[in-house]
C-alpha cells in the first residue's frame, strides 16, 4: 500500500481559459496565406474568426460570406480540455456554438462568428525618385523617409509602394511634390480608420568607413541597343560616353543618341555631329569629368589619328588632337580619358598589334602638351593583343602613376600596371581563351579605388559576356572581382545578334555628392546597363 504512486494532478497551478485560439482554413487551398486567426472575448463568450477583405491578400478579389460556408476549423486547447461538439468544418454564415470543458470539469459556452475585416495596415514600404536614381531610406519606427541628395531635387513624381488597399494623401505618384522642403504623407489603411504620417526629407547621412556598402549594388536600368534604342545595324554601336546627365551611345556612321543617365530613357540625338559622321570618322567615343565628349577616328584606315572634342551633347566638334605622324600605328578602336581636358587629364589609346603598346597624351591646366603622344610599352604580357585592348590612367596629373589594362593576350587577366616601371603589379583572375577583354575603367569612391573590365564571347555559340568590378585598394584585394554581371543576360547573342567583333565598354562614375557610384556597361548588339552602389551607413 505504501509503495503505490499517487495519481498526478493535471489541474494547472494558474487558472486559464482552456481554449487559446481557433484557426480557420479553406479546404484544398495550398497557399501559405490560407490560415486565419481568431479573437476571443472570454467574458462574453464570443470567438470571432477574422478573414481579410481581399483574398489572396494582395489581390483585388473581395472575400464574401458566401465563401465561408464550409471552412475547416482547428482549436488550440490546454491539456485535458475538450470541446463539444467536435470541430472539423463549420458553416460560418451561421452562428455556431461550442462547449469547452476544462480540467476541473467546468463548462463554458462560446459562440463562433466570422468577420471579414479590411486591413488596418498603413505603411509605406518603398519610395523612389527614379528619374534621379534616389531611393528613400525608410525608418519605420520614426516614420521618416530620407532622400539622400546634396543637390536640389525640385518637383518630381515618385514611385511609392504602400500597404494593400491603403491610400496616400497627398499622393506623390500622381502629384509632383517639391522635395527640397519637408513633406508629410498620410497613409490611410484599407479600413479607413488606421493612419500613419510619414515625414519625407532631404538628408545627408553618415558614410560607411571605406568604399561601398556591402550588398548595395542594384541594376537601375537596362536598355537593349536594338529593340529599346532602335539602333538596328549590327556591330556599329561599340562604345558609350557618360557625362554629368547623359549616356551618349556612339554608333559609327550615325549621330549619337543620348539617354538620361539615371533612367536610361532616350532624350535625343546629338544635333551637331554632322561634320565628323561618316565612314570610320566617329569610330569611338568617351567622356571626361568636365562634360567633354571625345570622339576619335580609326587610323590609318581613316587617315591620321584625330580626336574631336564636343562640349556637351549640344556642342559642335572641334579638333583636339591631330597626330600627323600616326601613319605607322593602328589606333582608334578604344580611347580613354582620366580627369578633365579643361584642367588636367591623361588620354590613352591602345596601339593595336603585337607590341603591347599604347599612346598617352597629357593635358595640363586645359592645354594639350603635344599632339604627338608618348608611346609606352608594357612588360609582362605575352603575345600581341590584336584589335582588343584598353588602357585607363589613375591620376590625371601624373602620367607616371599606375594604370589598368584590359586586353586579349596571355596571360588573359585584367592587369594593374606599375606606372613607373610599366611592369605588371597585379593580375585579376584568368579569363577563358574564348573570351575577349577590351574595356577598362577606374575611379575612387569613398576613399576606395575601384577598377572594372569586361569579357565578350564573339562566337555564334558564345553567351559569356560579363563585367568584372574589382577593389583596387591593394594587390591582394585585386585578385577576385567583388561584382560580376550575370552571363546570358546582357550580351549580343542573347539580345540583338552575335557580337562578331567582340566589343563592349565599361564606365565608372561617382555622383557629385559622393554617396553613389555608377557602373555603366554595354555589349555590342546587346544591352546598355546602369548598376548603382552606395556608401550609406544604414
Amino acid at each position: 500500500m505504501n509503495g503505490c504512486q499517487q495519481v498526478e494532478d493535471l489541474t494547472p497551478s494558474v487558472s486559464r481559459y482552456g481554449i487559446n485560439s481557433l484557426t480557420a482554413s479553406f479546404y484544398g487551398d495550398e497557399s501559405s496565406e490560407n490560415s486565419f486567426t481568431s479573437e476571443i472575448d472570454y467574458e462574453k463568450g464570443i470567438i470571432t474568426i477574422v478573414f481579410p477583405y481581399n483574398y489572396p491578400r494582395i489581390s483585388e478579389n473581395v472575400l464574401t460570406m458566401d465563401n465561408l460556408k464550409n471552412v475547416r476549423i482547428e482549436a488550440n486547447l490546454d491539456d485535458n480540455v475538450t470541446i463539444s461538439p467536435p470541430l472539423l468544418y463549420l458553416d460560418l454564415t451561421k452562428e455556431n456554438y461550442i462547449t469547452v470543458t476544462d480540467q476541473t470539469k467546468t463548462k463554458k459556452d462560446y459562440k463562433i462568428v466570422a468577420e471579414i475585416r479590411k486591413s488596418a495596415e498603413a505603411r509605406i514600404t518603398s519610395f523612389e525618385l527614379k528619374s534621379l536614381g534616389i531611393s528613400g531610406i525608410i525608418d519605420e519606427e520614426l516614420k521618416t523617409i530620407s532622400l539622400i541628395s546634396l543637390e536640389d531635387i525640385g518637383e518630381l513624381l515618385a514611385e511609392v509602394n504602400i500597404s494593400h488597399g491603403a491610400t496616400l494623401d497627398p499622393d506623390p505618384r500622381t502629384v509632383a511634390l517639391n522635395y527640397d522642403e519637408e513633406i508629410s504623407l498620410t497613409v490611410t489603411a484599407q479600413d479607413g480608420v488606421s493612419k500613419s504620417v510619414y515625414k519625407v526629407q532631404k538628408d545627408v547621412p553618415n558614410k560607411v568607413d571605406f568604399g561601398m556598402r556591402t550588398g548595395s549594388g542594384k541594376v537601375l536600368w537596362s536598355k537593349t541597343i536594338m529593340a529599346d534604342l532602335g539602333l538596328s545595324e549590327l556591330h556599329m554601336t561599340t562604345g558609350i560616353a557618360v557625362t554629368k546627365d547623359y549616356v551618349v551611345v556612339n554608333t559609327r556612321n550615325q549621330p549619337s543618341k543620348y539617354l538620361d543617365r539615371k533612367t536610361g530613357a532616350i532624350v535625343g540625338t546629338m544635333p551637331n555631329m554632322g561634320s565628323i559622321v561618316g565612314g570610320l570618322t566617329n569610330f569611338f567615343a568617351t567622356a571626361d569629368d568636365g562634360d567633354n565628349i571625345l570622339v576619335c577616328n580609326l587610323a590609318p584606315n581613316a587617315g591620321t589619328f584625330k580626336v574631336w572634342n564636343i562640349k556637351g551633347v549640344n556642342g559642335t566638334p572641334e579638333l583636339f588632337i591631330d597626330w600627323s605622324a600616326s601613319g605607322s600605328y593602328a589606333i582608334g578602336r578604344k580611347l580613354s580619358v582620366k580627369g578633365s581636358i579643361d584642367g588636367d587629364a591623361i588620354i590613352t589609346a591602345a596601339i593595336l598589334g603585337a607590341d603591347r603598346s599604347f599612346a598617352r597624351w597629357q593635358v595640363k591646366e586645359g592645354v594639350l602638351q603635344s599632339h604627338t603622344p608618348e608611346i609606352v610599352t608594357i612588360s609582362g604580357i605575352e603575345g600581341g593583343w590584336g584589335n582588343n585592348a584598353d588602357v585607363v590612367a589613375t591620376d590625371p596629373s601624373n602620367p607616371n602613376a599606375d594604370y589598368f589594362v584590359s586586353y586579349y593576350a596571355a596571360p588573359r587577366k585584367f592587369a594593374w600596371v606599375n606606372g613607373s616601371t610599366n611592369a605588371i603589379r597585379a593580375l585579376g583572375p584568368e579569363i577563358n581563351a574564348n573570351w575577349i577583354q577590351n574595356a577598362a575603367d577606374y575611379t575612387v569612391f569613398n576613399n576606395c579605388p575601384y577598377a572594372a573590365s569586361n569579357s565578350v564571347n564573339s562566337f555564334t555559340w558564345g553567351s559569356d559576356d560579363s563585367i568584372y568590378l574589382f577593389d583596387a585598394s591593394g594587390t591582394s584585394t585585386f585578385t577576385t572581382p567583388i561584382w560580376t554581371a550575370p552571363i546570358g543576360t546582357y550580351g549580343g547573342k542573347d539580345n540583338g545578334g552575335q557580337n562578331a567583333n567582340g566589343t563592349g565598354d565599361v564606365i565608372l562614375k561617382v555622383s557629385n555628392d559622393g554617396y553613389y557610384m555608377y557602373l555603366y556597361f554595354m555589349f555590342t548588339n546587346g544591352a546598355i546597363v546602369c548598376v548603382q552602389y552606395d556608401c550609406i551607413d544604414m
Side-chain angles (χ1 to χ4, degrees), residues 352-356 381-389 407-410 412:
L352 310 174
D355 61 358
R356 304 164 306 284
I381 298 175
E382 300 172 6
W385 53 34
N387 290 335
N388 300 283
Y407 55 89
Y408 186 57
R412 291 183 173 86

Side-chain angles (χ1 to χ4, degrees), residues 300-466:
N301 309 61
T304 59
F305 185 65
K306 294 179 174 62
V307 177
W308 290 268
N309 173 36
I310 304 174
K311 187 68 175 179
V313 293
N314 293 310
T316 300
E318 297 180 0
L319 188 61
F320 184 68
I321 294 174
D322 186 0
W323 183 15
S324 58
S326 63
S328 59
Y329 297 97
I331 191 170
R333 291 188 180 274
K334 289 290 180 184
L335 184 71
S336 291
V337 58
K338 188 56 56 183
S340 170
I341 63 171
D342 297 324
D344 292 347
I346 301 293
I347 301 170
T348 48
I351 295 173
L352 310 174
D355 61 358
R356 304 164 306 284
S357 299
F358 67 95
R360 180 167 63 200
W361 292 263
Q362 185 175 13
V363 180
K364 287 185 177 180
E365 298 180 354
V367 178
L368 178 68
Q369 298 302 288
S370 174
H371 287 270
T372 302
E374 177 186 10
I375 306 299
V376 182
T377 300
I378 303 167
S379 60
I381 298 175
E382 300 172 6
W385 53 34
N387 290 335
N388 300 283
D390 192 18
V391 182
V392 62
T394 60
D395 186 341
S397 302
N398 180 10
N400 295 318
D402 289 0
Y403 52 91
F404 291 86
V405 187
S406 187
Y407 55 89
Y408 186 57
R412 291 183 173 86
K413 299 181 177 182
F414 187 38
W416 178 352
V417 183
N418 185 314
S420 299
T421 64
N422 297 308
I424 291 176
R425 185 188 293 276
L427 291 169
E430 184 77 25
I431 300 296
N432 187 292
N434 293 316
W435 300 354
I436 299 170
Q437 288 191 120
N438 69 348
D441 205 12
Y442 170 90
T443 196
V444 177
F445 176 54
N446 192 26
N447 300 315
C448 180
Y450 292 96
S453 67
N454 72 343
S455 69
V456 179
N457 191 313
S458 64
F459 301 103
T460 55
W461 45 263
S463 187
D464 297 322
D465 304 67
S466 191

Side-chain angles (χ1 to χ4, degrees), residues 268-318:
T269 300
M270 292 178 64
N272 302 315
M273 288 185 67
S275 63
I276 62 169
V277 171
L280 304 175
T281 309
N282 60 320
F283 200 80
F284 192 80
T286 189
D288 69 1
D289 294 335
D291 265 11
N292 296 293
I293 301 165
L294 303 181
V295 181
C296 69
N297 66 351
L298 181 67
N301 309 61
T304 59
F305 185 65
K306 294 179 174 62
V307 177
W308 290 268
N309 173 36
I310 304 174
K311 187 68 175 179
V313 293
N314 293 310
T316 300
E318 297 180 0

